[in-house]
Amino acid sequence: MSRHTITVDVNGETQTREVDARTLLVHFIREDLSLTGTHIGCDTTSCGACTVLLDGRAVKSCTVFAVQADDRSVETIEALAADGTLHPLQDGFWEKHGLQCGYCTPGMIMSAKHLLEKNPDPTEDEIRQGLGGNLCRCTGYNKIVEAVQYAAEKMLTERPSGATSAERPSGATATEEVEA
Amino acid sequence: MIPGEFDYHSPTSLADAVALLDRFGDDAKLLAGGQSLIPAMRFRLAAPETLIDLNRLTDLAYVREQDGHLAIGALTRESALEESDLVQRRYSMLADAAAVIADPLVRNLATVGGNIAHADPANDHPAVMLAYGASVIARGPDGERAIGIDDFFTDLFETSLEVNEILTEIRIPAPSGTAGGAYVKVERKVGDYAVSGVAAQLTMDGDRIRQIRIGLTNVNPVPMRAADAEAALAGQLPSEETLEAAGQAAAAECEPSPDLRGSEEYKRDLTRVLVKRAVAKAVSRARRAQS
Ligand SMILES: Cc1cc2nc3c(=O)[nH]c(=O)nc-3n(C[C@H](O)[C@H](O)[C@H](O)COP(=O)(O)OP(=O)(O)OC[C@H]3O[C@@H](n4cnc5c(N)ncnc54)[C@H](O)[C@@H]3O)c2cc1C
Ligand code: FES
Ligand code: FES
């Protein structure tokens, strides 16, 4: 077995720790760094409760080894209201009742954050597709979608430069008509 | 659950990765996106003594057209296919597949090379690559070789890669002006593997199908081509009767096993229907490309 010293930028702070090669990133975050906002909801890479941003991309931190995050950056839910002000997504979940038990919420928010960074003005369908890796057992999802819509709107109006949604591919979609 | 113990290596060059694999052989596993391997290790279905992480080989992540084919670096993430304008524009079947593999979180890590090298008949890329007639580039200590996709999948989770070879690139022939393709998949819920999936890539000769390749997902122990269905379609007009005959041929030639996703009979019948849908969609795309 091997142990490794890793240096990871976590929520803007440099963290250096020694880990077993087999330590999963989610255990490193929760147990070594005591950042327990990132949840564990399954054993099968199915639920997305453990979602964090790894170099800016939303991933399931239960299915990455901590040692793989060496020299990379990790962002967890704790980064969002670091200065005491709720992020527009957190605001949205509050205003639109996007949570009940709250177990899925940190993962939902981190997924939504990545989604809005790629696509600041998503359609309802794009939000539903974009959150496809995150399960919620309480809300029935509608309120979560509304929360993300609320956040998107707020972030768009707050964005000074009026940045628009990135050009998206107009590739085939599931709704494309089929002719025989 | 957490995986068993292992030694971890993170080479920064392909040559180093090949040398490590050559040294550790069967005791080692390559780690790409980890989205099949890490779940298997957590269940202790896989317990490699050594992991060779390919993720620092960032120059193995690319999608580009060159020399008459689309070259996909083995470490290309599924999300990069979704974001590639080239793929969305010219490789519709691949774009169809990239959008329905797992879920967006998994797709941010999962790689195309890993999807194929894993040779899981439930994975979506094997059928797609069979339908494209792709080839796979493997690098070993003695250099590089190309393997035709028809010779690549040898058994359940088994490929013709040697134990010391790394899959480095997948090559898809660039489509001609009369080509069209489509991948259709039915899954129980978002992010699930296919109950059945059908990949169809064809060229047209006027109103007739000139040539066609069909790949099937998760209805056979080994990723397979539906050769009888292809034979029913080649040279034919894509009429309802011909599509039905092809669908029935595919339903007969696959070997699905009953499981939580459905009975054998259901999976065969679903395959029949999906062959018809995939071919119809491929034909309509080919016609649109010509008009
Ligand atoms: C919840 C969930 C749902 C999923 N649903 C789907 C789905 O619907 N469709 C689908 O197709 N897949 C699905 N997958 C699987 C996913 O796409 C995997 O990522 C893929 O099968 C393997 O790619 P990887 O890069 O993650 O490979 P890894 O997990 O890192 O590796 C898989 C195997 O391939 C070998 N390998 C990897 N790269 C190479 C290489 N370059 N050369 C030689 N050998 C190599 C590894 O040693 C290992 O044995 C799902 C996964 C999860 C967790
Ligand atoms: S804990 Fe369920 S996907 Fe990570
Ligand atoms: S709010 Fe309870 S799981 Fe989503």
Side-chain angles (χ1 to χ4, degrees):
Chain A
M1 115 175 154
S2 53
R3 282 180 72 77
H4 301 263
T5 301
I6 61 170
T7 301
V8 190
D9 176 320
V10 181
N11 300 335
E13 275 178 44
T14 305
Q15 303 281 0
T16 302
R17 295 283 194 290
E18 201 182 307
V19 295
D20 279 349
R22 64 170 170 166
T23 303
L24 296 165
L25 180 59
V26 71
H27 292 133
F28 172 73
I29 290 168
R30 289 179 53 86
E31 288 161 24
D32 294 356
L33 303 181
S34 303
L35 294 171
T36 53
T38 302
H39 293 165
I40 301 175
C42 73
D43 248 339
T44 51
T45 316
S46 310
C47 74
C50 61
T51 304
V52 302
L53 303 189
L54 179 60
D55 281 347
R57 304 189 76 96
V59 303
K60 295 175 179 174
S61 64
C62 69
T63 311
V64 182
F65 292 112
V67 62
Q68 296 185 271
D70 188 24
D71 284 331
R72 301 176 70 180
S73 77
V74 171
E75 189 178 328
T76 71
I77 187 70
E78 283 87 354
L80 263 63
D83 64 356
T85 318
L86 291 186
H87 184 278
L89 275 163
Q90 293 168 311
D91 226 12
F93 274 72
W94 178 310
E95 288 297 331
K96 296 293 176 184
H97 308 285
L99 63 142
Q100 289 179 22
C101 81
Y103 203 84
C104 69
T105 315
M108 285 286 178
I109 289 183
M110 297 315 285
S111 266
K113 185 162 189 274
H114 183 208
L115 171 69
L116 293 184
E117 274 158 19
K118 283 191 301 188
N119 180 1
D121 191 13
T123 63
E124 180 187 331
D125 190 52
E126 286 169 336
I127 294 173
R128 290 185 185 274
Q129 298 286 336
L131 298 181
N134 297 81
L135 299 184
C136 175
R137 299 286 81 162
C138 303
T139 62
Y141 300 101
N142 289 343
K143 294 286 170 188
I144 292 176
V145 173
E146 286 174 29
V148 177
Q149 285 171 324
Y150 175 99
E153 217 164 285
K154 189 165 176 193
M155 288 164 76
L156 277 176
T157 47
E158 280 174 2
R159 194 170 301 213
S161 62
T164 53
S165 122
E167 199 62 35
R168 262 169 285 129
S170 55
T173 66
T175 52
E176 188 175 2
E177 275 176 44
V178 175
E179 315 162 11
Chain B
M1 282 186 287
I2 57 169
E5 291 171 350
F6 56 86
D7 283 327
Y8 173 83
H9 299 267
S10 182
T12 52
S13 76
L14 182 57
D16 288 351
V18 171
L20 282 164
L21 188 58
D22 193 40
R23 187 166 118 214
F24 293 108
D26 257 341
D27 296 333
K29 276 265 179 212
L30 299 171
L31 176 66
Q35 303 300 290
S36 286
L37 183 55
I38 297 177
M41 289 174 68
R42 295 183 68 185
F43 278 102
R44 310 284 172 115
L45 296 171
E49 283 173 21
T50 301
L51 270 196
I52 302 168
D53 186 355
L54 301 178
N55 283 279
R56 307 271 157 183
L57 308 182
T58 45
D59 51 1
L60 279 189
Y62 53 83
V63 185
R64 56 178 175 248
E65 263 181 335
Q66 59 189 37
D67 309 328
H69 61 254
L70 181 74
I72 306 173
L75 218 65
T76 303
R77 314 284 168 186
E78 301 294 348
S79 54
L81 296 182
E82 288 178 276
E83 290 160 17
S84 159
D85 188 45
L86 176 62
V87 171
Q88 299 296 328
R89 223 170 0 95
R90 279 177 49 82
Y91 297 85
S92 307
M93 178 170 62
L94 184 61
D96 289 347
V100 295
I101 287 175
D103 60 57
L105 301 169
V106 169
R107 293 200 292 271
N108 280 334
L109 286 173
T111 68
V112 184
N115 195 295
I116 293 165
H118 194 48
D120 185 340
N123 276 2
D124 296 296
H125 279 307
V128 168
M129 297 307 169
L130 284 167
Y132 271 128
S135 57
V136 157
I137 308 301
R139 171 76 78 92
D142 302 325
E144 210 175 74
R145 66 180 176 125
I147 309 169
I149 199 73
D150 289 330
D151 301 322
F152 188 71
F153 303 107
T154 53
D155 208 338
L156 181 67
F157 300 117
E158 297 284 343
T159 70
S160 50
L161 286 174
E162 298 293 334
V163 55
N164 56 8
E165 278 182 322
I166 297 179
L167 192 169
T168 57
E169 187 176 285
I170 301 105
R171 292 182 183 165
I172 296 175
S176 72
T178 66
Y183 184 62
V184 294
K185 165 179 176 178
V186 166
E187 69 256 55
R188 295 175 304 172
K189 59 181 178 61
V190 173
D192 196 16
Y193 292 95
V195 181
S196 173
V198 175
Q201 180 73 19
L202 51 76
T203 52
M204 298 296 288
D205 183 2
D207 285 338
R208 287 179 188 275
I209 296 172
R210 183 205 303 265
Q211 189 256 346
I212 180 162
R213 295 174 63 106
I214 298 176
L216 304 181
T217 300
N218 218 6
V219 288
N220 204 63
V222 186
M224 72 175 276
R225 268 174 78 184
D228 295 344
E230 292 173 4
L233 290 159
Q236 304 297 318
L237 291 169
S239 64
E240 170 60 27
E241 298 74 55
T242 309
L243 294 192
E244 177 62 29
Q248 288 186 10
E253 65 191 307
C254 63
E255 282 298 334
S257 37
D259 59 17
L260 287 174
R261 293 188 178 85
S263 65
E264 178 187 334
E265 195 186 7
Y266 169 64
K267 291 181 180 185
R268 283 191 198 275
D269 203 49
L270 182 60
T271 304
R272 175 184 67 83
V273 173
L274 295 185
V275 163
K276 294 171 70 176
R277 288 189 194 160
V279 175
K281 197 164 175 180
V283 167
S284 90
R285 282 177 172 168
R287 286 191 177 138
R288 205 171 328 146
Q290 286 173 73
S291 58

